Amino acid sequence: FLPMIGFLLCALISTAFSKSPSFSFYNFLLLPCTYAVLYMLTVPYIRTENEEKILLCCFFTGAICVAAYGFYQYTRPEDIAAWVDPERFPLLRRRMYSTLENPNLLSSYMLMASGMLGSFMLMERQRLRKLLLAVCFCVFLVCILLTYSRGAWVSLAVMVMIAALAYDRRIALSFLLLPIMLLFYHGQITERFLSLFAGYDTSTELRLALIESTVAMIGDHPLTGVGRGAY
């Protein structure tokens, strides 16, 4: 509860130092206050272990529905022709984005779902449930791959390393699958992965520009920021 209050106070203070205080305050009401309301409607009412299980089942059921619709959508190229760079990746004609309308948002959502599901999968002792969780986990991973979101792939690698350090170092052996895939599979997943280390495209240049702008704004306003929504 205290970190949430601290976050709300910082967000509110930043609106007073914005170039557009009225818009920043509107953004504060629209987003941080919505987060706070969601917190207050969820956490105080989830007390028992059974209630926690029901909440998790609802979350995973929603993620499975999003993944299922994403696969359906992926079979309809006319629905997913956006979010591609034909000049940089001419063979990349489709990216999965499901109900989130953006492949990067879908990959972030699937990362959260796979991270939560993976922890339960590792700790589960009953074989049937462990198998079911593993199948769902693999489905989420395929969704992450088909979003072609390179940032999500890097985040996934970090998650695997943390799991290896915190739970079982043998999990790190999964990194051995990378050179095997790069050696035998020369599709757009490989091209997108290798583009992280060589060459530039509009997406990479945009992110570098965003980092430079962010560093400059932190340097100018280290304590208060530039105001919510004023970026």
Side-chain angles (χ1 to χ4, degrees):
F1 183 76
L2 291 179
M4 183 191 70
I5 295 298
F7 169 72
L8 289 176
L9 288 176
C10 290
L12 181 60
I13 292 173
S14 70
T15 62
F17 295 88
S18 172
K19 291 183 179 294
S20 178
S22 59
F23 180 78
S24 291
F25 185 69
Y26 165 76
N27 184 281
F28 170 77
L29 294 177
L30 183 65
L31 292 178
C33 289
T34 303
Y35 303 153
V37 170
L38 180 62
Y39 176 88
M40 295 304 297
L41 290 176
T42 303
V43 176
Y45 298 100
I46 306 300
R47 295 296 186 184
T48 66
E49 182 178 350
N50 187 56
E51 290 172 341
E52 292 177 353
K53 289 181 179 179
I54 293 174
L55 180 65
L56 287 170
C57 287
C58 291
F59 176 79
F60 289 136
T61 300
I64 291 171
C65 290
V66 170
Y69 183 77
F71 283 109
Y72 166 75
Q73 187 185 53
Y74 200 75
T75 62
R76 299 169 55 86
E78 64 274 12
D79 291 339
I80 48 178
W83 304 105
V84 295
D85 186 357
E87 295 183 1
R88 180 67 178 84
F89 302 98
L91 298 180
L92 180 58
R93 298 184 177 90
R94 63 182 80 176
R95 295 176 66 185
M96 182 185 292
Y97 57 76
S98 187
T99 59
L100 284 88
E101 300 296 331
N102 184 316
N104 295 321
L105 295 181
L106 175 63
S107 64
S108 299
Y109 178 57
M110 288 289 111
L111 275 172
M112 290 188 289
S114 60
M116 293 176 62
L117 192 70
S119 62
F120 286 103
M121 178 186 68
L122 292 174
M123 300 302 295
E124 181 61 53
R125 298 300 179 218
Q126 186 177 343
R127 289 187 177 182
L128 182 59
R129 284 194 293 193
K130 193 178 187 71
L131 177 61
L132 180 60
L133 292 174
V135 170
C136 294
F137 182 75
C138 291
V139 169
F140 294 163
L141 291 185
V142 173
C143 287
I144 294 173
L145 289 177
L146 294 182
T147 61
Y148 292 92
S149 176
R150 293 166 291 185
W153 297 348
V154 174
S155 300
L156 185 62
V158 174
M159 289 169 59
V160 171
M161 288 190 293
I162 293 176
L165 293 173
Y167 181 75
D168 191 335
R169 293 184 179 181
R170 290 175 295 180
I171 296 177
L173 295 176
S174 59
F175 284 115
L176 296 177
L177 297 175
L178 282 178
I180 297 175
M181 184 182 73
L182 296 177
L183 180 63
F184 294 102
Y185 176 73
H186 298 283
Q188 289 304 290
I189 291 180
T190 303
E191 294 295 328
R192 292 279 291 182
F193 179 79
L194 294 178
S195 69
L196 283 169
F197 310 101
Y200 289 92
D201 54 45
T202 55
S203 179
T204 304
E205 292 173 350
L206 173 62
R207 281 156 177 76
L208 292 175
L210 292 175
I211 292 175
E212 293 176 358
S213 301
T214 301
V215 172
M217 283 184 281
I218 293 174
D220 293 339
H221 308 276
L223 296 179
T224 62
V226 296
R228 292 201 58 87
Y231 188 93

